[in-house]
Amino acid sequence: MATIITAGNLTRLAGELMKAGCRVIAPAKLDGMVVFKAITDEHEMLPEGEYILPHSSFKEFVFPRTECILRYRLGEQGKVSYEATNLDAEPAQAAIGCRPCDAASLPILDKVFGWDYRDEFYFKRREKLTVVSIACSRAGERCYCTSVGCAPDSKAGSDILLKKTAGDKYVVEALSDKGRQLAEKHASLFEKAEGEPPVEVVDLKPAFDVEKIKPWLDTHFEDPLWLDMAARCMGCGTCAYGCPTCHCFDIVDEGDLRGGCRLKNWDTCAAVLFTKHGSGHNPRTSQEQRYRQRVMHKFKYYLEKFGLRACVGCGRCSNRCPVGQDLYAVLKTIAERAAK
Amino acid sequence: MYLKRDEVLKRGKVGLVVKGCDARAVTGLIQESQVARERLVLIGMACDGVGEPLLDMCKHCDVHTPAGPGADAHRLACDYVSGKATVADAKPEDEGWLDDVRKIEALMPPERWAFWQEKLSRCIRCYACRQVCPLCYCKRCLVEKNEPQWISSSAHEAGNFAWNIIRAMHLAGRCIGCGACERACPQDIPLTLLNKKMAESVARHFKYRAGYDPTAAPAVKAFDKADENDFFR
Amino acid sequence: MEHKEQKDQVSAQRVWQPKVIAFVCNWCTYAGADLAGTSRIKYDANIRVIRLPCTGRIDPLFVIKAFEQGADGVLVSGCHPGDCHYNTGNYHARRRWTLFRELLEFVGIDLRRVQFAWVSAAEGAKWAEVVNEMVQHVRELGPFEGYHVMLARSGRDAWLEKAAAGGGNGSGKGVAGGTPAVQKAE
Ligand code: SF4
Ligand code: SF4
Ligand code: SF4
Ligand code: SF4
Ligand code: SF4
Ligand code: FES
């Protein structure tokens, strides 16, 4: 017995959830782009056939680009009063129609945000989020999930995983309690089918052996190859801000003599200021060193510390980079070098 | 945009292949004393336009063939020029490039405000627009000056508004209209509209177009006693 | 830009008073304002004056900063062309303002909110006139709702509100509780 949902009912599910006060995050159009959007009408949600991967990841809904974490007031005689942002009143949220790679980024983010200190701002939002992803039946030009150990039907991070089957229908797999609850609550939208309907999942062959990457990185912190591979990077935030697993942030105070806000803003290791010390010293003086950090962090440090790579192979960094810096090509070069 | 990097500078003379529009960028850098002509070997390439479909800026390009040795002093002369463009240069009075600007101008002020509020609210402050801009060469951009923080670095609406207005203002009379910023912007913000509006204002008020004459003073560096004064009481 | 309904919300339970910031050069306009004071010429008290060495030092960013602090209008004033005490500061400034005005207009700001004047040290009466007229314009336009809404959405409302509520405006000197940023610039 398999559980099935039709494409029409998936849209209805979005509608029902919204009616129940849930924030529905779905791929939708913004000018020429497909982006994850908190939709207000279920028909804004694009049919799955019309996109492969939205332009930016949905991490914004667990880790906003800018977020006020507390407000403070400066009173008489230096008295400070403050009020921390309380996210308890945030609505439940559901991401519908995201891809397995995006879903897989959540367990990766969980690690860093819950490691020595538990980031409440992240986890409050994260706990309220239910993820309904759709396995890919097509892959984009720069999709390389399978090369980095993820997959077009990966279960990681999804509460419900849908797989395409004949007749604009999806086979439903509830993977967590959250997923099962959601399916039960909206049971009328799901149907049963006999046996195991055949599902369409793209067959994407790995392009390189990812196991070779870390050993090479371990021994090649200094290597002329970095200059070749990374000199073109010009240090913007495009790759990091689009990446589902990039998680660096900066804390800034914005205010004046009366008071203000403390904000948590996205930040990126590609920026010159990222590592600049108060003394004026900057340990990463050149752009290839900064790019090296990006690769090292994702494929070496993160793996060492948390047992996971901080990359799901979504290809956004390669797609979005204004100067065509391509992580995929870099990894491939490294893997080839390492194989020699 | 790579020209000013330490890694590049310390290698001595730089050979640079330029299209006409790139030559305008180099002209701007020379005018602003950011690079000395003697440090460059310029190889000009004729260009009929790039992009599929043809980029808007290319449709209105008037520098398809870069100037070569022996050009008059008011054009940047490349050391070598290869080829000759097959398409004719646009006329300076060709107003077609301003069509989209005029469309915005035709809106009522509250509509314009709403338009820009929506567009600018998307900004994620990645600064790709700045990083790719040939004229945004500041070692430390104003938005990175944080003692005090002059422009909020947060990607909220107020911060984005301040950033994008000031960016456009800093490029006024300097932007050569290459459109790199807009192409780089991952959020599809029509930055070119702001830049074109400024280019149009500069041309109308000061009869100046950026990146043509290496000997000219940039528009906002210069002044004329007879400049427009009507808006002052 | 001006939403009548919201107007009442922001100005909650108090009569709204326009908040106009004037950036002036030290040598002419500031002295002119001083003269207006010593000659006991009365002018609208809704203006708060910030003195800078020269109009050449008035960065367009200051205007944005003023709006970020909840200003409803900004006035910029300095020496007449030819009279700048640094010779050419106001000529340079004039070019910048020519462009900046059009940029602001392009993004939908009503130019009655951002005005410019040349007021010499001897023109105390003109200063009073310029101020009165400017404040009058802003009074007609009402609070700069567009910007206030944007600030509120950016989490800037909390202390803006408080400042607006407590903001006495009779002194005509300096910005009550201006940002450190603006004060440093003086
Ligand atoms: S790799 Fe590309 S997107 Fe990333 S910082 Fe460098 S230039 Fe920007
Ligand atoms: S590093 Fe690139 S490919 Fe990997 S998850 Fe981030 S954006 Fe996707
Ligand atoms: S079009 Fe954009 S990138 Fe090109 S010069 Fe102008 S501001 Fe810079
Ligand atoms: S925006 Fe202005 S300060 Fe920043 S790099 Fe460009 S020109 Fe320099
Ligand atoms: S490139 Fe676009 S999103 Fe990035 S800072 Fe510039 S305007 Fe904002
Ligand atoms: S000193 Fe008054 S404008 Fe320059």
Side-chain angles (χ1 to χ4, degrees):
Chain A
M1 274 292 251
T3 309
I4 302 277
I5 189 165
T6 62
N9 276 352
L10 192 61
T11 311
R12 259 165 237 131
L13 176 66
E16 283 191 11
L17 284 167
M18 273 190 287
K19 231 174 263 147
C22 177
R23 177 191 291 139
V24 174
I25 302 153
K29 279 247 154 102
L30 179 66
D31 290 355
M33 306 182 283
V34 175
V35 297
F36 279 112
K37 206 162 136 188
I39 55 172
T40 49
D41 177 331
E42 64 261 37
H43 298 292
E44 274 182 78
M45 182 165 111
L46 286 180
E48 189 248 340
E50 287 184 23
Y51 63 92
I52 292 177
L53 192 66
H55 182 70
S56 35
S57 83
F58 63 27
K59 77 170 171 195
E60 270 225 52
F61 294 92
V62 283
F63 172 35
R65 57 180 88 158
T66 181
E67 176 177 32
C68 172
I69 56 178
L70 66 83
R71 290 170 192 284
Y72 58 90
R73 279 182 202 287
L74 305 177
E76 299 290 310
Q77 281 137 19
K79 239 185 74 200
V80 184
S81 57
Y82 70 91
E83 186 191 328
T85 303
N86 187 348
L87 292 178
D88 291 337
E90 276 284 295
Q93 41 185 10
I96 300 187
C98 61
R99 295 303 185 183
C101 57
D102 270 334
S105 70
L106 292 169
I108 297 173
L109 291 177
D110 289 349
K111 295 276 184 201
V112 70
F113 283 120
W115 157 58
D116 57 343
Y117 170 82
R118 203 179 142 84
D119 189 315
E120 284 304 326
F121 300 97
Y122 170 80
F123 280 105
K124 284 248 165 80
R125 290 193 158 90
R126 168 81 166 99
E127 278 151 17
K128 287 171 190 282
L129 177 69
T130 308
V131 180
V132 181
S133 48
I134 307 180
C136 302
S137 53
R138 300 176 295 153
E141 215 177 293
R142 287 203 175 91
C143 286
Y144 47 97
C145 51
T146 50
S147 302
V148 294
C150 187
D153 58 351
S154 157
K155 294 180 179 173
S158 295
D159 297 303
I160 292 181
L161 179 64
L162 305 178
K163 287 181 191 154
K164 199 171 171 182
T165 181
D168 238 359
K169 291 182 177 171
Y170 301 95
V171 175
V172 180
E173 214 179 323
L175 297 167
S176 70
D177 289 343
K178 260 195 226 167
R180 280 184 284 274
Q181 277 162 16
L182 185 121
E184 272 162 35
K185 232 179 164 176
H186 303 272
S188 64
L189 298 173
F190 296 85
E191 32 192 273
K192 295 280 174 217
E194 289 304 319
E196 291 295 319
V199 293
E200 277 177 56
V201 175
V202 62
D203 179 25
L204 195 63
K205 295 267 179 301
F208 52 82
D209 180 5
V210 71
E211 299 301 333
K212 295 236 160 41
I213 306 281
K214 184 169 177 300
W216 189 88
L217 293 179
D218 286 342
T219 50
H220 293 81
F221 188 77
E222 301 285 355
D223 194 282
L225 199 59
W226 289 115
L227 185 62
D228 290 351
M229 290 192 299
R232 71 158 67 174
C233 168
M234 37 111 217
C236 64
T238 309
C239 52
Y241 296 173
C243 174
T245 68
C246 275
H247 46 258
C248 288
F249 59 82
D250 184 23
I251 298 281
V252 296
D253 284 351
E254 272 180 11
D256 54 31
L257 300 174
R258 296 161 283 174
C261 290
R262 176 157 297 179
L263 298 127
K264 177 179 163 195
N265 292 340
W266 285 353
D267 203 353
T268 168
C269 57
V272 183
L273 236 52
F274 188 77
T275 41
K276 189 150 180 169
H277 298 179
S279 65
H281 171 65
N282 195 341
R284 291 186 204 135
T285 50
S286 70
Q287 201 56 42
E288 71 267 12
Q289 289 174 355
R290 289 173 214 125
Y291 190 82
R292 174 182 66 199
Q293 162 64 19
R294 181 171 172 80
V295 179
M296 287 281 182
H297 189 195
K298 290 189 175 297
F299 295 92
K300 173 172 156 64
Y301 310 144
Y302 215 82
L303 199 55
E304 284 168 358
K305 200 165 180 80
F306 301 124
L308 286 171
R309 288 182 197 93
C311 173
V312 293
C314 68
R316 285 197 180 94
C317 51
S318 307
N319 270 326
R320 294 165 47 124
C321 177
V323 291
Q325 175 70 7
D326 186 358
L327 181 62
Y328 169 76
V330 168
L331 294 174
K332 215 168 150 195
T333 310
I334 293 178
E336 277 161 14
R337 275 290 167 108
K340 265 187 206 152
Chain B
M1 78 210 193
Y2 296 109
L3 259 188
K4 287 217 46 190
R5 279 215 197 148
D6 291 340
E7 300 96 287
V8 174
L9 287 178
K10 70 179 175 224
R11 293 185 185 196
K13 237 178 165 161
V14 181
L16 203 59
V17 179
V18 292
K19 301 189 270 25
C21 51
D22 304 325
R24 283 182 65 190
V26 175
T27 307
L29 292 174
I30 292 174
Q31 279 176 284
E32 296 176 14
S33 313
Q34 293 306 309
V35 59
R37 177 67 186 87
E38 305 74 62
R39 302 206 48 168
L40 304 173
V41 178
L42 295 173
I43 304 155
M45 299 283 277
C47 167
D48 285 349
V50 296
E52 274 297 333
L54 196 60
L55 295 178
D56 191 53
M57 60 176 241
C58 297
K59 283 185 208 149
H60 306 288
C61 170
D62 60 357
V63 285
H64 287 294
T65 310
D72 76 278
H74 299 292
R75 272 300 283 283
L76 176 65
C78 295
D79 300 290
Y80 311 92
V81 177
S82 145
K84 189 158 179 13
T86 59
V87 293
D89 285 342
K91 300 258 177 329
E93 63 274 13
D94 161 24
E95 272 256 320
W97 64 289
L98 287 172
D99 285 352
D100 44 1
V101 172
R102 301 293 183 224
K103 235 180 263 164
I104 303 293
E105 286 175 336
L107 299 173
M108 297 299 289
E111 292 167 340
R112 288 204 291 269
W113 179 261
F115 173 86
W116 286 109
Q117 288 289 299
E118 192 279 315
K119 299 289 184 211
L120 300 183
S121 70
R122 298 179 193 174
C123 176
I124 52 175
R125 308 303 282 281
C126 65
Y127 305 127
C129 48
R130 177 190 75 193
Q131 297 302 94
V132 296
C133 176
L135 277 314
C136 261
Y137 49 66
C138 303
K139 272 244 143 106
R140 191 160 182 172
C141 174
L142 187 55
V143 75
E144 283 161 353
K145 299 251 158 89
N146 49 10
E147 289 171 295
Q149 184 75 41
W150 280 100
I151 301 174
S152 158
S153 58
S154 310
H156 51 47
E157 290 171 41
N160 291 351
F161 185 82
W163 158 245
N164 281 286
I165 293 296
I166 294 302
R167 190 204 64 85
M169 191 60 206
H170 282 193
L171 273 311
R174 306 172 55 233
C175 165
I176 49 118
C178 67
C181 48
E182 182 170 318
R183 285 194 298 281
C185 177
Q187 297 295 86
D188 255 13
I189 301 173
L191 298 170
T192 302
L193 275 177
L194 295 172
N195 300 331
K196 273 192 196 172
K197 173 65 209 168
M198 286 293 87
E200 183 269 336
S201 296
V202 170
R204 182 160 34 87
H205 292 290
F206 313 131
K207 311 276 170 285
Y208 177 87
R209 292 188 310 144
Y212 286 92
D213 182 352
T215 63
V220 282
K221 200 182 150 207
F223 65 84
D224 187 332
K225 288 188 176 161
D227 279 343
E228 138 128 50
N229 196 48
D230 294 348
F231 64 90
F232 286 90
R233 280 210 21 141
Chain C
M1 200 157 42
E2 331 292 349
H3 313 291
K4 275 265 185 310
E5 331 75 64
Q6 278 161 330
K7 209 179 269 184
D8 305 330
Q9 278 174 24
V10 169
S11 51
Q13 289 134 23
R14 72 201 141 76
V15 185
W16 171 76
Q17 284 292 333
K19 193 176 182 186
V20 180
I21 307 296
F23 293 105
V24 304
C25 97
N26 179 38
W27 303 107
C28 287
T29 305
Y30 193 79
D34 226 15
L35 178 67
T38 48
S39 331
R40 300 185 177 271
I41 304 175
K42 269 213 152 70
Y43 60 89
D44 225 308
N46 292 73
I47 195 115
R48 296 105 200 268
V49 179
I50 298 180
R51 174 168 60 149
L52 289 120
C54 171
T55 49
R57 177 61 187 98
I58 306 174
D59 191 302
L61 181 57
F62 295 178
V63 175
I64 302 280
K65 281 272 166 205
F67 285 136
E68 284 184 357
Q69 290 297 315
D72 301 303
V74 176
L75 175 65
V76 174
S77 180
C79 315
H80 283 270
D83 293 347
C84 173
H85 289 57
Y86 306 92
N87 291 333
T88 58
N90 54 2
Y91 286 126
H92 285 289
R94 186 168 64 183
R95 280 216 158 178
R96 286 204 294 270
W97 297 121
T98 305
L99 302 175
F100 191 55
R101 282 175 83 239
E102 297 196 351
L103 181 58
L104 294 181
E105 193 175 26
F106 191 61
V107 297
I109 293 181
D110 192 314
L111 285 186
R112 283 172 294 175
R113 294 198 188 275
V114 190
Q115 294 187 31
F116 302 84
W118 303 130
V119 173
S120 77
E123 295 175 321
K126 179 175 177 187
W127 170 250
E129 228 174 85
V130 167
V131 168
N132 288 341
E133 210 168 284
M134 169 92 203
V135 173
Q136 188 49 36
H137 279 145
V138 175
R139 220 182 270 284
E140 283 160 15
L141 288 166
F144 195 168
E145 281 307 335
Y147 223 105
H148 295 346
V149 167
M150 180 164 85
L151 290 170
R153 289 212 210 106
S154 308
R156 293 281 190 105
D157 48 338
W159 78 98
L160 201 66
E161 256 309 272
K162 193 183 162 219
N169 46 29
S171 72
K173 255 194 221 157
V175 181
T179 57
V182 171
Q183 288 180 347
K184 262 199 183 169
E186 280 189 28

